[in-house]
Amino acid sequence: MAVFTGAGVAIVTPFKENGEVNYEKFAELIEFQIENETDAIIVCGTTGESSTLTHEEHLDVIRYCAEKVAGRIPVIAGTGSNCTETAVYLSTEAEKYGVDGLLIVTPYYNKAKQKGLYAHYKTIAESVKIPCIIYNVPSRTGCNVEPETIVRLCTDIPNIVGVKEASGNISQIVKLMALADGRVDLYSGNDDQIVPLLSLGGKGVISVLSNVAPKQTHDICARFFAGDVEGSCREQLRAIPLCKALFCEVNPIPVKKALNLMGMEAGVLRMPLTEMEEENALKLEKVMKEYGIL
């Protein structure tokens, strides 16, 4: 059985003006998501600025999220690293907090071969007992996990169960699902491709859009699974201008701005990320109003 089906939010990590994690606002964001029918929370991913959290902060944010959610919906912890040993450490610690699964990004910068990627994921997965999801995002990591490698990992290692596919390469994803034969749980890593990936047998999306439109993103998936493909497609297409605005600068700059515009107080970004350009912020605000969330 899949770790979750539907729309999982890649939740932001709110910070205070002094840069500390704002746990009070984090709790509010978690409740906002659950109240609006988000199907899972993915904590400490790219959108959660995991790359600028210390190891101590990273694990504390995961622990806090798991405690606040308290089993109401699945929690998947981002525990990847370009150092296999570090990823094992984060993963084994996160497992202790009772999370339902792990999202493990492809090792960035190192540019490992497929043999190295296989060994990396195998080592991490075998250090824990909970399900692991591969996160393939070549635009950020400089490294692509080939379909054959994903299928081999999901076949050989029982608790590697699927992939968050953010390559944007539909042909590659089609090949993956053709090879998978039901062995790979597929999640869209791009909010503008939810319906296309569901049509290939996908289980859902790990979503940036869900931060600001959780019910709408949930409905894209729920309608599809209920057989209302036309309604699902309509919601997908309606969200495209907002998806585009949320990625007009590098994620999570726009989504944090959007949450702040909504009064959700996601706070500042950690350097080297900086505040959104004013021109882009105005465009984002306009699109949010047109979409109906402002």
Side-chain angles (χ1 to χ4, degrees):
M1 191 172 75
V3 182
F4 77 96
T5 58
V9 62
I11 199 164
V12 305
T13 303
F15 296 124
K16 299 176 183 179
E17 287 299 318
N18 65 3
E20 294 177 359
V21 177
N22 190 333
Y23 286 102
E24 179 183 351
K25 295 303 174 185
F26 191 37
E28 292 177 9
L29 292 175
I30 290 168
E31 294 305 321
F32 171 69
Q33 290 296 321
I34 294 173
E35 288 167 9
N36 284 278
E37 300 185 51
T38 284
D39 298 291
I41 293 179
I42 294 80
V43 60
C44 288
T46 304
T47 313
E49 296 179 76
S50 58
S51 59
T52 50
L53 296 173
T54 67
H55 290 168
E56 292 76 16
E57 288 174 323
H58 192 139
L59 292 172
D60 200 47
V61 169
I62 292 170
R63 178 194 56 77
Y64 185 88
C65 184
E67 289 177 357
K68 283 295 175 184
V69 173
R72 288 176 286 173
I73 58 175
V75 172
I76 294 96
T79 55
S81 171
N82 66 334
C83 170
T84 306
E85 184 178 348
T86 299
V88 167
Y89 166 68
L90 293 173
S91 298
T92 54
E93 290 299 308
E95 183 179 33
K96 297 174 186 176
Y97 306 146
V99 299
D100 298 277
L102 304 174
L103 180 67
I104 305 169
V105 70
T106 309
Y108 38 89
Y109 189 79
N110 312 57
K111 302 184 84 169
K113 296 180 181 179
Q114 297 302 303
K115 178 181 176 182
L117 294 175
Y118 181 90
H120 176 79
Y121 279 108
K122 182 176 186 289
T123 300
I124 298 163
E126 289 181 344
S127 74
V128 296
K129 295 178 181 176
I130 54 177
C132 300
I133 298 171
I134 298 162
Y135 178 16
N136 189 35
V137 56
S139 64
R140 283 189 179 264
T141 64
C143 190
N144 182 47
V145 192
E146 299 291 344
E148 294 84 353
T149 304
I150 294 170
V151 172
R152 185 181 167 211
L153 283 164
C154 289
T155 302
D156 293 353
I157 296 97
N159 64 325
I160 298 183
V161 298
V163 61
K164 174 185 176 182
E165 244 297 347
S167 68
N169 185 338
I170 292 293
S171 294
Q172 175 173 294
I173 298 167
V174 168
K175 181 180 180 181
L176 166 66
M177 295 308 281
L179 293 172
D181 193 26
R183 289 170 287 178
V184 178
D185 291 340
L186 173 67
Y187 297 95
S188 177
N190 294 317
D191 286 310
D192 61 351
Q193 295 180 345
I194 302 171
V195 171
L197 267 63
L198 293 181
S199 75
L200 293 170
K203 299 294 185 182
V205 60
I206 296 177
S207 171
V208 175
L209 175 66
S210 282
N211 279 281
V212 296
K215 180 64 166 64
Q216 296 91 328
T217 314
H218 163 84
D219 285 350
I220 291 172
C221 297
R223 289 184 178 187
F224 188 96
F225 293 137
D228 182 12
V229 175
E230 184 179 349
S232 174
C233 187
R234 187 167 56 248
E235 277 297 316
Q236 169 79 94
L237 295 176
R238 190 173 80 86
I240 293 299
L242 181 55
C243 294
K244 185 177 179 181
L246 289 172
F247 286 89
C248 68
E249 293 187 26
V250 69
N251 180 49
I253 292 173
V255 74
K256 271 202 155 177
K257 181 66 175 179
L259 284 166
N260 289 334
L261 287 170
M262 293 170 70
M264 301 294 285
E265 298 184 45
V268 300
L269 299 141
R270 281 193 174 174
M271 289 179 64
L273 299 185
T274 52
E275 187 67 20
M276 196 173 189
E277 297 293 335
E278 184 63 25
E279 181 182 358
N280 290 332
L282 290 171
K283 289 178 183 177
L284 173 63
E285 185 174 3
K286 180 176 182 288
V287 171
M288 291 172 68
K289 288 177 179 175
E290 291 170 350
Y291 189 73
I293 56 174
L294 266 188

